[in-house]
Amino acid sequence: YRILVPDPNAQFWADLGVHWIKAELEGKGKPIAVVGCSDVVFQTPCEIDTAINEAIKNAIDEDSKKLYESWKARKSVLLNVLDRSKGSSDPDKVQILEVSTGTFGAILNIIQQYAEEGEDVLDSDAGMDIAISRAGKGLNTEYTVNIAPGKSQPVTAKHLKEVHNLVDHINKEFFRGDETKALNFIGQVAQVNIPRLGNKTPTAALTSRAAQVDPDVDADALAAAADLDEAEEAAPVTAAAAKTTTSPKTAPVVEETAVVLDDADLDDVLADLDNI
């Protein structure tokens, strides 16, 4: 493979961590959920990690514990490469190669060894292809990394232009919204409380009926009320002022006896009004 580095000043690989949530330890059935690990990929807290650790801590037996431990993130590394092996159908097609963390460590060692001798394995023109050999099967598989024999062909500008955005690829493939499904399954199987995926629930004050605006309320009146509230917040009443401030006294209500006028008195009142 030829590793492609479009920007020598930027990281040319991407760390990948994936939680394979299965119902059985040895089961070959379809996983319940396949979810990326945000801790490995983005270095941010991962709710799936938290739930798995809680499940392991509360496991009731060894079989359950082994199942929960199998849910931990499987780590690997993604690279942009050209497949220049003899069996490659398109050696000029930019592909994404996934390697184990151990294999990637061996690749970095090769790069470092040649750098100490003044040679850049990753250089577009003078760089070199690497050969990855595999021996064994399953958990006993071992990989060996060496510089490929023979002369390596240079990398063209077209190759570098066609490299994949590795982070976008990870987001598309492993952060597809299955986090809730994974958490619910972990909580159900392990019988543990699961963390919430971000607190996106509005507070009670914002969802109460009192916080909802009546469509019939005048908008100008609401704005005026808001200005009044701001003014009150800007000039709070101090404790001393509160002691010297008194509420206006309400005037006492005086009950008077009603005066009843007869017809003669009423005529006199009307006559007086005519003279005014």
Side-chain angles (χ1 to χ4, degrees):
Y1 299 99
R2 181 60 168 269
I3 299 175
L4 302 179
V5 182
D7 184 355
N9 298 315
Q11 181 173 304
F12 62 89
W13 73 92
D15 294 307
L16 174 62
V18 181
H19 296 285
W20 292 76
I21 310 300
K22 294 186 174 183
E24 298 178 6
L25 184 60
E26 302 296 336
K28 297 182 180 181
K30 185 178 179 180
I32 302 300
V34 179
V35 186
C37 179
S38 57
D39 179 36
V40 176
V41 178
F42 305 115
Q43 293 77 54
T44 58
C46 178
E47 291 88 353
I48 308 295
D49 276 340
T50 302
I52 292 172
N53 290 334
E54 189 68 17
I56 293 173
K57 184 174 67 175
N58 293 279
I60 59 175
D61 53 48
E62 283 300 316
D63 288 340
S64 296
K65 185 177 180 181
K66 289 180 180 179
L67 174 62
Y68 306 156
E69 288 177 340
S70 72
W71 296 340
K72 286 186 174 182
R74 301 181 188 179
K75 301 177 182 179
S76 59
V77 177
L78 302 185
L79 302 164
N80 277 293
V81 301
L82 298 174
D83 183 357
R84 290 180 166 173
S85 61
K86 291 182 179 180
S88 174
S89 59
D90 192 350
D92 286 319
K93 181 181 179 181
V94 179
Q95 303 183 45
I96 296 176
L97 175 67
E98 181 177 359
V99 298
S100 67
T101 55
T103 301
F104 183 63
I107 292 173
L108 293 181
N109 285 337
I110 291 287
I111 294 172
Q112 180 63 32
Q113 289 173 12
Y114 276 77
E116 292 173 356
E117 300 298 327
E119 297 185 77
D120 186 358
V121 173
L122 302 176
D123 184 75
S124 298
D125 295 323
M128 310 170 197
D129 298 344
I130 61 171
I132 302 176
S133 304
R134 181 178 63 186
K137 295 182 179 180
L139 297 177
N140 296 321
T141 303
E142 294 183 359
Y143 295 90
T144 304
V145 179
N146 291 292
I147 294 298
K151 181 176 178 59
S152 300
Q153 297 298 316
V155 172
T156 67
K158 182 175 182 294
H159 292 144
L160 296 178
K161 187 177 180 180
E162 293 176 351
V163 296
H164 302 273
N165 185 313
L166 298 176
V167 175
D168 285 350
H169 171 78
I170 291 173
N171 272 320
K172 180 181 178 181
E173 296 295 327
F174 301 105
F175 291 90
R176 299 174 295 185
D178 287 344
E179 290 82 1
T180 299
K181 182 191 295 185
L183 286 174
N184 289 340
F185 181 78
I186 293 170
Q188 180 182 1
V189 172
Q191 295 296 302
V192 295
N193 293 325
I194 59 175
R196 297 179 63 184
L197 278 175
N199 186 11
K200 298 182 181 179
T201 304
T203 61
L206 296 179
T207 56
S208 65
R209 293 184 60 83
Q212 299 174 14
V213 178
D214 189 331
D216 295 331
V217 174
D218 189 296
D220 294 335
L222 289 176
D227 292 340
L228 180 59
D229 290 342
E230 291 178 0
E232 291 177 347
E233 292 178 0
V237 178
T238 63
K243 290 182 179 179
T244 58
T245 302
T246 57
S247 302
K249 294 183 179 180
T250 304
V253 178
V254 178
E255 294 183 0
E256 296 182 354
T257 303
V259 178
V260 179
L261 299 178
D262 56 17
D263 293 341
D265 292 332
L266 183 58
D267 290 338
D268 292 337
V269 171
L270 294 175
D272 293 335
L273 291 176
D274 289 338
N275 295 328
I276 296 176

